């Protein structure tokens, strides 16, 4: 189990590792492409309130792989606990580390406010600052401005990353736990891995996070879900027979 979860975690760690090796770093919105618009829609699947819909879709997708309705309900309940715990931990850590997002650092460098001043404001005031700043910047499309208006919290850790990595590890862990080796399970796992991989890419391309945010957030999700599935295996709550 741990090897399986670690393998998928390593796959996602390749995103920040490649960024460091290649020397790529976010340089503002002038280099945006049509692919980034696709990444925006993908990243929205991990944004509030759409993340709730994503959770519902994953829960429904797991229904055919459970042996009984009762087992499916138990799986979904554990998934729900995972989401609450990981996102709650994310919220707490953001306020502990209080790291500014890349786009906020750029905003502060090009205006007469500091990152400290920005984060001292209420959420509504921060949103207003973002709106005013981008009103004169034609290189930033409206969809990205709207996304940033809704993402005025701290940078570290990445909630979107923890969300995506958690769902990939939940899929990998439960398929292993339930003994699912069907082609349907493999396809769903591959698609979930691709979705999670691109989610991490989107957070960098849209100026929302640093590579270190992604790496540590992935590690946090890995530790929590390793502990979860070791516990579930030990308790034998989901026998394969």
């Amino acid at each position: 189990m741990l090897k399986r979860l670690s393998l998928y975690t390593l796959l996602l760690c390749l995103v920040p590792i490649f960024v460091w090796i290649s020397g790529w770093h976010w340089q503002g919105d002038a280099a945006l492409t049509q692919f980034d618009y696709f990444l925006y829609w993908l990243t929205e699947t991990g944004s509030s309130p759409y993340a709730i819909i994503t959770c519902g879709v994953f829960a429904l997708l797991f229904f055919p792989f459970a042996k009984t309705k009762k087992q499916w309900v138990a799986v979904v309940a554990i998934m729900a606990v995972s989401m609450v715990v990981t996102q709650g931990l994310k919220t707490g850590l953001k306020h502990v580390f209080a790291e500014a997002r890349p786009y906020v650092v750029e905003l502060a460098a090009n205006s007469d406010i500091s990152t400290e001043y920005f984060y001292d404001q209420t959420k509504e005031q921060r949103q207003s600052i973002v709106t005013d700043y981008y009103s004169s910047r034609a290189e930033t499309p409206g969809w990205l401005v709207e996304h940033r208006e809704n993402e005025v919290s701290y940078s570290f850790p990445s909630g979107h990353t923890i969300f995506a990595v958690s769902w990939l590890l939940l899929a990998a862990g439960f398929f292993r736990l339930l003994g699912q080796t069907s082609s349907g399970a493999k396809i769903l796992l591959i698609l979930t891995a691709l979705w999670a991989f691109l989610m991490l890419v989107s957070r960098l391309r849209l100026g929302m996070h640093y590579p270190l945010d992604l790496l540590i957030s992935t590690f946090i999700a890995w530790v929590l879900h390793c502990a979860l599935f070791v516990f579930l295996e030990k308790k034998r709550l989901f026998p394969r027979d």
Side-chain angles (χ1 to χ4, degrees):
M1 176 67 78
L2 293 183
K3 289 183 179 180
R4 186 182 183 89
L5 297 180
S6 299
L7 177 63
Y8 285 104
T9 301
L10 179 60
L11 169 67
L12 299 184
C13 286
L14 292 178
V15 175
I17 290 173
F18 176 78
V19 168
W20 282 319
I21 292 175
S22 67
W24 181 90
H25 61 280
W26 183 70
Q27 296 178 309
D29 302 325
L32 287 171
T33 67
Q34 191 63 32
F35 182 64
D36 293 304
Y37 187 52
F38 164 76
L39 290 178
Y40 158 72
W41 283 109
L42 185 140
T43 211
E44 283 291 89
T45 63
S47 302
S48 178
Y50 308 109
I52 298 175
I53 298 175
T54 302
C55 290
V57 169
F58 271 115
L60 291 175
L61 287 174
F62 266 83
F63 184 77
F65 302 106
K67 295 180 175 62
T68 64
K69 185 176 180 180
K70 183 179 179 180
Q71 186 182 71
W72 175 71
V73 170
V75 168
V76 171
I78 293 172
M79 289 176 170
V81 171
S82 167
M83 290 297 109
V84 171
V85 171
T86 53
Q87 292 303 304
L89 179 61
K90 173 267 300 183
T91 300
L93 290 175
K94 278 185 182 291
H95 287 88
V96 170
F97 290 95
E99 179 186 3
R101 294 184 184 273
Y103 87 84
V104 175
V105 173
E106 182 195 59
L107 182 155
N110 295 323
S111 64
D112 57 356
I113 69 168
S114 65
T115 57
E116 291 78 10
Y117 174 84
F118 180 86
Y119 283 108
D120 280 342
Q121 308 308 302
T122 65
K123 180 179 180 180
E124 291 73 20
Q125 290 170 328
R126 278 176 269 156
Q127 289 174 326
S128 180
I129 291 173
V130 172
T131 302
D132 292 342
Y133 175 75
Y134 287 110
S135 63
S136 60
R137 295 186 170 269
E139 73 270 18
T140 305
W143 51 265
L144 185 51
V145 175
E146 183 179 353
H147 181 65
R148 288 175 180 166
E149 288 171 343
N150 293 325
E151 298 283 343
V152 292
S153 62
Y154 294 111
S155 182
F156 178 84
S158 169
H160 284 72
T161 296
I162 292 178
F163 181 76
V165 176
S166 294
W167 275 115
L168 176 58
L169 297 182
L170 285 170
F174 273 116
F175 282 149
R176 175 74 174 182
L177 208 59
L178 300 176
Q180 277 290 344
T181 58
S182 65
S183 58
K186 293 177 181 177
I187 291 172
L188 179 56
L189 198 52
I190 291 172
L191 291 177
T192 303
L194 178 61
W195 168 75
F197 187 90
L198 291 175
M199 180 70 79
L200 269 65
V201 173
S202 75
R203 305 316 286 163
L204 296 174
R205 288 288 305 176
L206 301 181
M208 306 305 292
H209 289 286
Y210 298 99
L212 184 61
D213 298 346
L214 271 57
L215 184 67
I216 301 302
S217 299
T218 301
F219 179 75
I220 290 172
W222 173 74
V223 169
L224 293 175
H225 288 87
C226 280
L228 170 65
F229 283 106
V230 166
F231 172 79
L232 293 177
E233 275 193 320
K234 185 176 180 181
K235 294 298 183 179
R236 299 183 180 277
L237 299 178
F238 296 92
R240 299 184 183 183
D241 299 326

